[in-house]
Amino acid sequence: MGLFWRVLIILPLFFAYVNGEYFTYPARHTGKAELAGFKGPDSLATDGGGFFSGPLVVENDATATPSNQGGTTEVTVGKPGDNTLDASVGNDEIKDASMIEAATTFKGSWELFIENGGVSAMHLQLLPKINQALMFDATVWKISKIKLPPPCRHVEGTNEEDCFAHSVLMDIETGKLRPLRLHYDTWCSSGGLDINGRLVSTGGFNNGSDTVRILDLCDTCEWKEYPGALANGRWYATQVTLSDGKFMVFGGRDFPTYEFVPPEGKKNTHQDVVDFNFLVETHDLVENNLYPFVHLSTDGNIFIFANNRSVILNPKTHKIIHEFPVLPNGARNYPASGSACLLPIILKPNEDRRVIPAEILICGGAPHDAFEKADLQRPKVFLPGSCDCARLDFTKRNSKWKILNMPSARLLGDMAVLPTGDVLIVNGAKTGSAGWDDAREPNLNPVLYKFKTDGTGSKFTVLNPSNIARMYHSSFAVLPDAKVLIAGSNTNPGYLDDALFPTEVRVEKFSPPYLDPNLAMFRQEIITEKSDNQLKYGQKFTVQIRGNGVIDQQKLQVTIYSPPFVTHGICMNQRLIQLGILEFNKDVAPNTNNIVLQAPMNGNIAQPGYYMLFVNYNGVPCLRSMWVQILP
């Protein structure tokens, strides 16, 4: 059965999707009310809750009016000694007696950033320093919406030439594109940033499955490709960064193994591969364990989730040292395709805890047989996706899953950890499975999951919808200005403009509720030339901020964010850490203050490399983050 459906997936790639009628980028319709299962934004109910305001419990999708560009704002001050304001960290409760919550009815806003991103962003990575978003899909289709500069690519094993780019760098401010040349197929690959901010990408399809690629940070840099660097083919595999900056890559179709990514220019042998029986045990008739969720724990071990099971692996001894309870109600990994993220890691000033709590949040997914029903059965049957969100502190061996209910079902979604620590759940569908034309009912409304609450109301707020369906192969990036870049969606084996869900090359930006114009007074400016941007583990460093009015240290939050490699609902190495504030020095200049912080204590908490540093005041991020590098 497994071989049968794989053939069904791959065969259409060799059909006639590459003829000239698809080469021209057409004017696109903005509303897609004709799509099956989509009734349009006007059919959705209205929710009156708001950011930081104790949102209403929502039974179904809800939305504010699309024209809502601002909301009413109020500030609620917790009085000294008032312990009613609850900030949840892990499974523990920490009371913040002086938290200010700025409340707004603003449900976010959408803007079309560029009409043609050149490629459909199956994979997306924000690159440090140069502020470019790298987007790429697959060479196997031999077509995109942007041409390569001469010469064309020679297609391996044929006499064909491919004159289209399958990888672009996009300026996140101007939208300017620069096409990049690829020779080895990146379809369904993995990746992560190294210590110097370079993207190290692994695996892919066919001739790219054992390839390691590196993209340096410069205006003229091109891909460096090293075929044969991996000992096993890695198609739908997951890459994770370790505490020393090295990479491991887990799984991939037909390879229930893992290996360490070799240094640049080196090649692994089969002796470098470790058999991983956990991936054999979690493999079912339609797999459901590809692109496993993999995260470095704060104790140096590796948390791995596949299908509906999760374990802790010691990467030095290669032993599983703990298994957690099974997560019920379906599968969560590809092709059931829920999404997951590591929740914020909260550090105290002068941190001395032996173990720092770390939690996984997994949302959505589908029944175990959802792919079989949607892809193999005729007529297709699109099973409802999961409404579950589940949290687990994997630093505690007695942890059990805490189940929450989302406002609506979602699969094929993405989970962006915002600078404040809240999670934006965006993109995806309500029914079906991953795969070509295997999902229906686009879930157009993002949902805000509140990491910290005051203990009242729902943790979920339904936000304003996009009018672009973002289904299979969608992606995101959190930007330095705290907006969220949204791209991708290709439910087709090629570039199709007349499909039920067309291949999507439009790129949007979403402004979360904290960017309500009425909250702009709280946005601080980081004075980068007066701030430290290279950090050493455990050491003090200073960030200087400027803003209007008197600043209360109790309302400040400083976070560092590692931008993830995003594909297929998985965000590899996404990590947000709240730093401990050691000192707050007021009025070092007019309207200017210094924040003295402590860097994370070791690489288990924060792997070496580049992070976006945000200063949040009253829950509102600064005007622009600052890139900092943690040195080993």
Side-chain angles (χ1 to χ4, degrees), residues 246-355:
K246 295 178 181 178
F247 300 108
M248 296 175 72
V249 59
F250 284 83
R253 178 161 287 165
D254 297 324
F255 287 103
T257 62
Y258 62 84
E259 58 189 293
F260 293 85
V261 178
E264 183 175 356
K266 303 295 183 180
K267 291 186 177 182
N268 282 349
T269 69
H270 289 291
Q271 293 180 337
D272 297 309
V273 172
V274 180
D275 292 331
F276 194 32
N277 197 53
F278 175 70
L279 291 179
V280 177
E281 296 171 354
T282 54
H283 184 282
D284 59 28
L285 288 176
V286 294
E287 297 173 304
N288 278 327
N289 71 342
L290 299 181
Y291 277 131
F293 305 141
V294 184
H295 295 277
L296 175 69
S297 180
T298 54
D299 60 6
N301 292 312
I302 306 293
F303 172 83
I304 305 157
F305 184 101
N307 199 321
N308 60 0
R309 293 173 55 191
S310 51
V311 296
I312 296 290
L313 175 74
N314 185 317
K316 296 179 180 178
T317 66
H318 306 289
K319 301 293 185 183
I320 290 177
I321 58 178
H322 185 74
E323 180 162 358
F324 295 99
V326 170
L327 179 58
N329 302 328
R332 312 294 171 152
N333 298 93
Y334 182 90
S337 291
S339 52
C341 68
L342 188 68
L343 287 172
I345 296 169
I346 309 297
L347 301 181
K348 300 176 180 179
N350 298 308
E351 183 63 73
D352 60 358
R353 286 174 291 176
R354 186 178 61 85
V355 176

Side-chain angles (χ1 to χ4, degrees), residues 154-172:
H154 179 73
V155 180
E156 186 180 35
T158 73
N159 293 320
E160 295 180 74
E161 286 190 333
D162 176 6
C163 297
F164 290 89
H166 305 287
S167 172
V168 299
L169 278 174
M170 179 183 68
D171 188 292
I172 60 174

Side-chain angles (χ1 to χ4, degrees), residues 235-503:
W235 194 25
Y236 302 92
T238 301
Q239 185 173 319
V240 65
T241 308
L242 301 179
S243 60
D244 58 2
K246 295 178 181 178
F247 300 108
M248 296 175 72
V249 59
F250 284 83
R253 178 161 287 165
D254 297 324
F255 287 103
T257 62
Y258 62 84
E259 58 189 293
F260 293 85
V261 178
E264 183 175 356
K266 303 295 183 180
K267 291 186 177 182
N268 282 349
T269 69
H270 289 291
Q271 293 180 337
D272 297 309
V273 172
V274 180
D275 292 331
F276 194 32
N277 197 53
F278 175 70
L279 291 179
V280 177
E281 296 171 354
T282 54
H283 184 282
D284 59 28
L285 288 176
V286 294
E287 297 173 304
N288 278 327
N289 71 342
L290 299 181
Y291 277 131
F293 305 141
V294 184
H295 295 277
L296 175 69
S297 180
T298 54
D299 60 6
N301 292 312
I302 306 293
F303 172 83
I304 305 157
F305 184 101
N307 199 321
N308 60 0
R309 293 173 55 191
S310 51
V311 296
I312 296 290
L313 175 74
N314 185 317
K316 296 179 180 178
T317 66
H318 306 289
K319 301 293 185 183
I320 290 177
I321 58 178
H322 185 74
E323 180 162 358
F324 295 99
V326 170
L327 179 58
N329 302 328
R332 312 294 171 152
N333 298 93
Y334 182 90
S337 291
S339 52
C341 68
L342 188 68
L343 287 172
I345 296 169
I346 309 297
L347 301 181
K348 300 176 180 179
N350 298 308
E351 183 63 73
D352 60 358
R353 286 174 291 176
R354 186 178 61 85
V355 176
I356 308 299
E359 282 189 276
I360 186 82
L361 178 69
I362 298 176
C363 294
H368 292 276
D369 58 346
F371 178 85
E372 182 179 7
K373 298 288 188 183
D375 195 84
L376 304 179
Q377 186 168 314
R378 293 297 181 273
K380 289 173 176 273
V381 175
F382 305 100
L383 298 178
S386 172
C387 292
D388 285 356
C389 268
R391 284 177 66 160
L392 179 81
D393 182 343
F394 52 78
T395 62
K396 297 180 178 179
R397 298 297 178 258
N398 61 349
S399 285
K400 296 180 180 179
W401 292 100
K402 178 181 178 182
I403 308 296
L404 307 165
N405 290 317
M406 291 189 292
S408 60
R410 195 181 301 261
L411 61 143
L412 311 177
D414 288 293
M415 295 173 65
V417 182
L418 300 177
T420 57
D422 293 333
V423 178
L424 184 73
I425 307 171
V426 68
N427 300 335
K430 298 178 184 177
T431 62
S433 168
W436 308 134
D437 190 38
D438 285 346
R440 293 294 187 270
E441 297 186 59
N443 199 328
L444 300 176
N445 289 81
V447 169
L448 188 73
Y449 172 81
K450 290 175 64 68
F451 176 58
K452 298 181 180 181
T453 71
D454 62 2
T456 64
S458 172
K459 278 184 168 286
F460 297 97
T461 303
V462 180
L463 304 178
N464 276 331
S466 171
N467 59 11
I468 299 176
R470 301 285 184 182
M471 307 282 277
Y472 189 37
H473 293 150
S474 298
S475 55
F476 77 89
V478 177
L479 299 178
D481 62 1
K483 293 182 180 180
V484 182
L485 191 79
I486 304 292
S489 185
N490 190 5
T491 64
N492 314 291
Y495 277 65
L496 300 182
D497 296 315
D498 58 355
L500 179 63
F501 297 107
T503 302

Side-chain angles (χ1 to χ4, degrees), residues 75-85 96-101 552 555:
V75 176
T76 304
V77 183
K79 299 177 182 178
D82 179 359
N83 289 329
T84 61
L85 298 174
D96 186 344
S98 56
M99 178 70 71
I100 279 189
E101 296 186 344
D552 184 345
K555 297 14 173 227

